Amino acid sequence: MVFDCFGDRKKVVISMAHIGALPGSPLYNADGGVQKLIDDVVADVEKLQDGGVDAIMFGNENDRPYVFKGSPESIAAMTAVVQAIKPAIKVPFGVNYLWDPSASVAIGAVTGASFVREIFTGLFASDMGLWQPDCASASRLRTALRRDDMKLLFNINAEFAYSLDQRPIALRAKSAVFSSLADAILVSGPITGQPAEASDLRSVCEAVTEVPVFANTGVNLDNVRDVLSIAQGVVIGTHFKIDGNTWNAVDGSRVKRFMDLVETLR
């Protein structure tokens, strides 16, 4: 069992539902507005659920270039999109507002999410500048909103960034559980769609036994067998898209093939 919301299911697959660019970001489609955001992502959600995924996580990957603090209009829009789609969701869901832990917690709390993913700890040199996440504020916000049941998934090595903390990744992961109360640890590759180093994933899984460890990027049909022999679950976005392109719509046939294989590995 990974989390209560998954029952007794093991080796969990969390799929990404990428929301289009939100209001205020350069790629926002003002003509289509929020309704287009809803229509596009609900179509992806339907394909993901038909393919048999265990959970869905809503993310604003299209809000490039990324920010460390969400704007009022984008946070409101993402909340509206998730809330509008909730009646169609049949599996546990989570949210991730890049790269703002408190915004992620706020959206997750008010929409009824089961989990939230974000960079909560560490210090990074990144494409967006010096990255100093505020775990304490996000965690305290979860408590203030009375959503201690909502799990916080700590992405321990940020994409698009280089850790300025030179401790081994396994030690950083173990420290995040001890000092910052991580509910799960996620291990990423250097950029969206690229896999984590197998040695990093293995060392974190060996060091962290109190909470689940997930592979967070680059999992696909070719490597999932090896990944799930080590980790308790995976987060998948790019591999489920048409032609394996992060910015395309979900390809239902790719989802089905992947989940059929996963069922043989549980």
Side-chain angles (χ1 to χ4, degrees), residues 98-114:
L98 302 171
W99 294 94
D100 187 335
S102 290
S104 298
V105 167
I107 296 169
V110 301
T111 58
S114 296

Side-chain angles (χ1 to χ4, degrees), residues 129-149:
L130 188 63
W131 193 343
Q132 298 175 270
D134 185 356
C135 179
S137 293
S139 181
R140 282 161 172 76
L141 178 61
R142 177 179 64 165
T143 298
L145 294 174
R146 298 187 177 183
R147 283 302 317 273
D148 286 333
D149 61 305

